[in-house]
Amino acid sequence: SYELTQSPSVSVSAGQTASITCSGDKLGNKYACWYRQRAGQSPELVMFQRDERPSGIPERFSGSSSGDTATLTISGTQPMDEADYYCQAWDSSTEVVFGGGTKLTVL
Amino acid sequence: EVQLLESGGGLVQPGESLRLSCAASGFSVSSYAMSWVRQAPGKGLEWLSSLDYSGANTYYAGSVKGRFTISRDNSKNTLSLQMNSLRAEDTAIYYCAKAGTKTTRTPLLYFDFWGQGTLVTVSA
């Protein structure tokens, strides 16, 4: 079965750049997407098909992928970006798969 | 405006059944793939089941295959999840999610709208 692995936590100082990674076999060949889940809220799509931003998501959010890793980068991180972030991909062996989530703390 | 509103959650005993519903507005459930995703307390997201836009194809995670059934009612624009033989480990918030694609069997899959979730608690 296909698995996606994320670091449990990432900390960043306000105004700095946060990088959240997701790893999986040949993930760079897939179209990873990312969700943000603020405390007590539903997940919200912040990046899809590797590097596409939904409307309403600021330009400081960007996505990339290569090899076995997909990365969500948040430039000029703000306190409102503090949340859990999940990557997701599709694989024929497992259908829909989510990463375990990364808790982003903004210091 | 796209909205998804889940209902039907509650407290049930192990072995019992429950039916969740998701009322969609702002789009037609027959135009996109739809899915159910759950989140156990303090845990991550787990995909459970999908229905493609045609309604002809359904997909299930191994953890619920044979126990859960996904369906939809085009006339009411609703998605449902029939859950049988519930177990303590099924305790979670259950989310209805709209795919941005017509099928979830695609590498291009993403979920662009989510409901607020409904809590299912399975306990004796």
Side-chain angles (χ1 to χ4, degrees), chain B residues 26-40:
Chain B
F27 74 102
S28 172
V29 295
S30 61
S31 295
Y32 295 91
M34 298 290 295
S35 290
W36 287 96
V37 177
R38 72 183 177 187
Q39 186 170 35

Side-chain angles (χ1 to χ4, degrees), chain B residues 52-69:
Chain B
D52 72 8
Y53 82 104
S54 71
N57 298 299
T58 58
Y59 311 98
Y60 297 92
S63 60
V64 303
K65 196 168 188 177
R67 298 190 299 129
F68 291 10
T69 302

Side-chain angles (χ1 to χ4, degrees), chain B residues 23-91:
Chain B
S25 59
F27 74 102
S28 172
V29 295
S30 61
S31 295
Y32 295 91
M34 298 290 295
S35 290
W36 287 96
V37 177
R38 72 183 177 187
Q39 186 170 35
K43 302 297 184 183
L45 302 173
E46 179 187 11
W47 170 78
L48 298 178
S49 180
S50 293
L51 181 67
D52 72 8
Y53 82 104
S54 71
N57 298 299
T58 58
Y59 311 98
Y60 297 92
S63 60
V64 303
K65 196 168 188 177
R67 298 190 299 129
F68 291 10
T69 302
I70 191 171
S71 62
R72 75 182 188 204
D73 184 330
N74 292 343
S75 66
K76 296 181 179 178
N77 211 32
T78 59
L79 181 74
S80 295
L81 185 68
Q82 177 66 40
M83 305 187 296
N84 298 331
S85 303
L86 284 162
R87 307 165 180 166
E89 54 265 36
D90 295 319
T91 294

Side-chain angles (χ1 to χ4, degrees), chain A residues 31 35 37 42 86 90 95, chain B residues 39 104-105 107-108 111 115-116:
Chain A
Y31 292 86
Y35 303 91
Q37 186 177 35
S42 304
Y86 295 91
W90 181 85
E95 299 289 339
Chain B
Q39 186 170 35
T104 57
R105 291 218 96 217
L108 299 173
F111 298 110
Q116 88 293 342

